[in-house]
């Protein structure tokens, strides 16, 4: 079977499973909003401070949400014993990885769709003028997060304490992504918003390096 | 056994000499004086840790390609030893930095990168303790290890750009540039010595890991034999006492 078609089938399965319960989305979206609200209690930022801390806050909230949301990606297959079905399916492990990764990317993007307006209102930031450029930064950052997070979700699945383990593995690996995304977002929040090419290049490099690594290592992800 | 004893003695002797050279032969540094002498052990530990990190990466790849347990033993040994050396770097660094820079810590790229690697290796070891099955543990940690190593250049790149955009008041600049020839000799001696120590520790740790593996396998065989012996007794046909336990291997 064509790898892309197989990945599309896995993606459709993930979406259907999620739409039946909406468990993942409703918990993650609520979580991310709680994080943003709690941040404002602990900092009480003024307009100038928001400009300074806002990008970091936005990305930390996203990273936390991602490290929680990515965990069930493989863990639910393990606990429902459907992992055997996936292993026996006549598709390449990379297609399974790709389908799951795209599903995670989609769910993270949906979370961001909710998060951005809430963030803009609570912190009084006008995102509208830079929205197009912000979406580019968000897309590159979220892609990198989904790529590495889906691999680590598979790695952590067979471990004990996997819920705690995943952020432990994922967050330090995402350091370059966090720095690049925060700095690129900060450039967009400044008085003369620009799309910083250097940081975009770092983000693109991160995405390519880890996507290729995931592709090369995908054969080992689903083994028993 | 004899060889290991000898290696330990040689290492101890060399370290005594290194300590002597660092404190009595090396010339006094013009601005930093005595505190600069920590640099001989600090930077050389950094080298050894980096070499260990490279060993981990290749052992991880070799494990996934060959599935030979020895590569996993090598990987975990090198991670533990590198972690020890990274810890030395992280502890001696602030001791030097406080009198010289006036702060314990600065978000210089070298410091930040060392700290990130240290955290990642701790995570690597935690991951290993949480997976019981040998093959799964070896494969999972190898995948994680490869990702960690691939992230290093990206970390370097991003921290470097980040720091040049936000300059720090105090940065490196003294000890590295234009080393006195005696200092250089002692520094290279210390680096070679630390590499030697790193290799000896990795070899020892590797031996321990292989013995541990052997012990687990022997215990499995033993359990199986006991089960069979128990069944045989239950069925009434006693096995002759004193028969070698490995008879049906």
């Amino acid at each position: 079977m064509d790898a892309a078609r197989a990945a599309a089938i896995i993606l459709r399965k993930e979406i259907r499973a999620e739409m039946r319960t909406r468990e993942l989305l409703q918990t993650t979206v609520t979580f991310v909003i709680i994080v943003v609200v709690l941040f404002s209690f602990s900092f009480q930022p003024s307009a100038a401070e928001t400009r300074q801390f806002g990008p970091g806050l936005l990305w930390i909230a996203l990273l936390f949400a991602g490290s929680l949301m990515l965990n069930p990606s493989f863990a639910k297959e393990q606990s429902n014993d459907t992992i055997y079905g996936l292993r026996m399916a006549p598709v390449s492990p990379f297609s399974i990885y790709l389908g799951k990764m795209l599903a995670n990317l989609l769910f993270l993007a949906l979370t961001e769709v909710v998060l951005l307006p809430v963030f803009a209102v609570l912190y009084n930031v006008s995102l509208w003028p830079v929205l197009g450029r912000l979406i580019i930064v968000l897309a590159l950052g979220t892609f990198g997060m989904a790529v590495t997070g889906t691999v680590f979700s598979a790695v952590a699945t067979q471990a004990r304490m996997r819920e705690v383990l995943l952020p432990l593995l994922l967050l330090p690996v995402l350091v370059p992504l966090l720095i690049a995304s925060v700095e690129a977002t900060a450039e967009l929040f400044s008085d003369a918003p620009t799309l910083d090419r250097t940081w975009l290049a770092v983000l693109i490099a991160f995405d390519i390096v880890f996507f290729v690594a995931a592709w090369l290592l995908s054969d080992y992800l689903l083994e028993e | 056994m004899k060889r290991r004893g000898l290696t330990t003695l040689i290492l101890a002797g060399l370290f005594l000499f290194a300590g002597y050279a660092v404190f009595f032969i090396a010339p006094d540094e013009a601005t930093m004086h005595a505190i600069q002498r920590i640099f001989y052990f600090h930077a050389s530990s950094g080298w050894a840790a980096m070499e260990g990190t490279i060993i981990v990466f290749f052992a991880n790849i070799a494990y996934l390609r060959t599935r030979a347990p020895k590569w996993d033993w090598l990987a975990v040994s090198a991670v533990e030893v590198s972690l020890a050396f990274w810890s030395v770097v992280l502890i001696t660094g602030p001791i030097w930095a406080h009198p010289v820079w006036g702060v314990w810590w600065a978000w210089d790229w070298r410091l930040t990168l060392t700290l990130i690697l240290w955290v990642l290796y701790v995570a690597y070891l935690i991951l290993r303790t949480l997976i019981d099955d040998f093959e799964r543990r070896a494969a999972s940690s190898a995948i994680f290890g490869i990702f960690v190593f691939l992230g290093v250049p990206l970390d370097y790149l991003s921290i470097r750009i980040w720091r040049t955009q936000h300059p720090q008041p105090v940065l490196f600049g003294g000890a590295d540039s234009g080393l006195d020839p005696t200092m250089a000799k002692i520094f290279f001696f210390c680096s070679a010595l630390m590499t030697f120590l790193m290799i000896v520790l990795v070899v020892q740790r590797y031996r321990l890991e292989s013995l541990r593996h052997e012990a687990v396998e022997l215990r499995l065989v033993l359990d199986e034999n006991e089960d069979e012996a128990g069944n045989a007794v239950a069925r009434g046909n006693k096995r002759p006492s004193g028969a070698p336990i490995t008879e049906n291997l």
Side-chain angles (χ1 to χ4, degrees):
Chain A
M1 201 189 318
D2 187 7
R5 215 170 75 86
I9 291 172
I10 300 281
L11 172 63
R12 219 155 23 192
K13 158 202 159 300
E14 293 287 320
I15 295 172
R16 189 181 304 153
E18 176 56 26
M19 283 313 142
R20 284 195 183 141
T21 58
R22 295 192 190 86
E23 280 168 355
L24 195 59
L25 276 173
Q26 68 195 19
T27 42
T28 315
V29 166
T30 316
F31 173 79
V32 88
I33 290 174
I34 290 172
V35 171
V36 170
V37 171
L38 287 184
F39 265 126
S40 89
F41 290 147
S42 46
F43 292 128
Q44 294 187 332
S46 66
E49 283 164 349
T50 303
R51 199 171 287 171
Q52 208 181 343
F53 298 126
L57 193 163
L58 189 68
W59 279 99
I60 291 280
L62 276 175
L63 249 54
F64 281 3
S67 64
L68 284 183
M69 172 186 253
L70 291 161
N71 188 53
S73 184
F74 281 93
K76 67 171 188 243
E77 308 282 359
Q78 192 80 15
S79 51
N80 295 337
D81 283 339
T82 43
I83 190 104
Y84 302 106
L86 275 183
R87 280 195 195 115
M88 280 190 289
V91 296
S92 69
F94 180 64
S95 307
I96 297 174
Y97 165 79
L98 193 62
K100 291 221 170 244
M101 192 274 283
L102 291 174
N104 290 331
L105 185 62
L106 177 71
F107 299 149
L108 279 169
L110 289 175
T111 310
E112 284 161 13
V113 167
V114 182
L115 173 65
L116 278 187
V118 173
F119 175 79
V121 167
L122 288 182
Y123 289 85
N124 203 13
V125 192
S126 77
L127 297 175
W128 201 246
V130 291
L131 192 61
R133 284 169 285 181
L134 186 60
I135 286 175
I136 298 176
V137 176
L138 278 172
L140 288 172
T142 316
F143 182 78
M145 206 174 5
V147 163
T148 37
T150 310
V151 171
F152 287 9
S153 166
V155 163
T157 303
Q158 277 151 333
R160 278 171 277 126
M161 309 260 292
R162 58 184 172 223
E163 290 81 4
V164 197
L165 183 61
L166 181 63
L168 199 73
L169 301 179
L170 184 59
L171 295 179
V173 171
L174 290 180
V175 165
L177 182 131
L178 175 71
I179 295 178
S181 312
V182 168
E183 293 295 319
T185 312
E187 290 290 326
L188 291 180
F189 285 6
S190 64
D191 284 326
T194 46
L195 195 57
D196 192 310
R197 295 257 172 86
T198 320
W199 289 120
L200 279 194
V202 173
L203 280 177
I204 292 171
F206 185 98
D207 291 355
I208 292 176
V209 166
F210 285 111
F211 186 67
V212 172
W215 173 57
L216 291 174
L217 295 175
S218 59
D219 284 350
Y220 309 107
L221 285 180
L222 280 173
E223 303 177 329
E224 214 160 347
Chain B
M1 196 63 215
K2 217 175 222 168
R3 217 176 46 196
R4 269 184 289 150
L6 199 64
T7 320
T8 315
L9 269 181
I10 292 174
L11 260 178
L14 287 173
F15 263 99
L16 274 178
F17 176 70
Y20 176 76
V22 164
F23 284 106
F24 298 105
I25 300 179
D28 204 43
E29 213 271 345
T31 50
M32 293 184 268
H33 302 296
I35 189 69
Q36 181 268 339
R37 291 170 199 272
I38 206 171
F39 156 83
Y40 296 106
F41 293 116
H42 171 76
S44 53
S45 302
W47 277 108
M50 250 181 283
E51 288 152 7
T53 305
I54 293 168
I55 296 178
V56 175
F57 178 59
F58 286 106
N60 283 332
I61 292 181
Y63 177 78
L64 287 181
R65 291 189 74 97
T66 63
R67 295 308 170 114
K70 62 176 180 186
W71 292 115
D72 181 59
W73 304 339
L74 180 63
V76 67
S77 313
V79 166
E80 284 186 8
V81 173
S82 301
L83 186 62
F85 278 106
W86 285 128
S87 306
V88 170
V89 174
L90 282 177
I91 292 166
T92 50
I95 295 178
W96 175 84
H98 192 247
V100 177
W101 290 349
V103 286
W104 293 109
W105 185 266
W107 291 98
D108 167 71
W109 68 267
R110 272 167 274 222
L111 283 76
T112 314
L113 192 55
T114 310
L115 185 64
I116 294 172
L117 263 176
W118 189 87
V119 170
L120 282 165
Y121 273 3
V122 171
Y124 180 101
L125 292 177
I126 292 175
L127 169 69
R128 292 185 66 93
T129 61
L130 294 176
I131 306 179
D132 294 324
D133 178 65
F134 172 78
E135 281 176 15
R136 195 58 237 168
R137 178 174 61 218
S140 288
S141 54
I143 294 171
F144 181 63
I146 292 172
F147 267 70
V148 166
F149 192 83
L150 291 178
V152 171
L154 291 164
D155 282 312
Y156 168 77
L157 198 68
S158 55
I159 300 164
R160 202 73 208 259
I161 304 169
W162 178 52
R163 273 299 122 183
T164 40
Q165 288 193 342
H166 309 242
Q168 283 281 310
V170 271
L171 278 182
F172 277 81
D176 284 319
S177 42
L179 215 55
D180 172 88
T182 320
M183 284 183 171
K185 271 181 214 150
I186 297 175
F187 172 64
F188 286 123
F189 175 71
C190 286
S191 300
L193 184 57
M194 283 295 182
T195 304
F196 183 35
L197 175 66
M198 188 270 294
I199 292 169
V200 169
L201 288 175
V202 169
V203 169
Q204 287 298 319
R205 181 65 184 77
Y206 175 87
R207 252 178 61 82
L208 178 67
E209 194 65 24
S210 73
L211 287 173
R212 194 179 277 170
H213 196 74
E214 206 174 310
V216 169
E217 284 193 341
L218 282 177
R219 196 166 299 148
L220 280 177
V221 172
L222 212 63
D223 284 351
E224 265 172 31
N225 277 305
E226 269 173 10
D227 281 352
E228 270 171 31
N231 289 341
V233 171
R235 282 198 304 271
N237 39 9
K238 242 182 175 173
R239 77 200 239 136
S241 59
I245 205 135
T246 49
E247 60 183 359
N248 45 10
L249 252 179

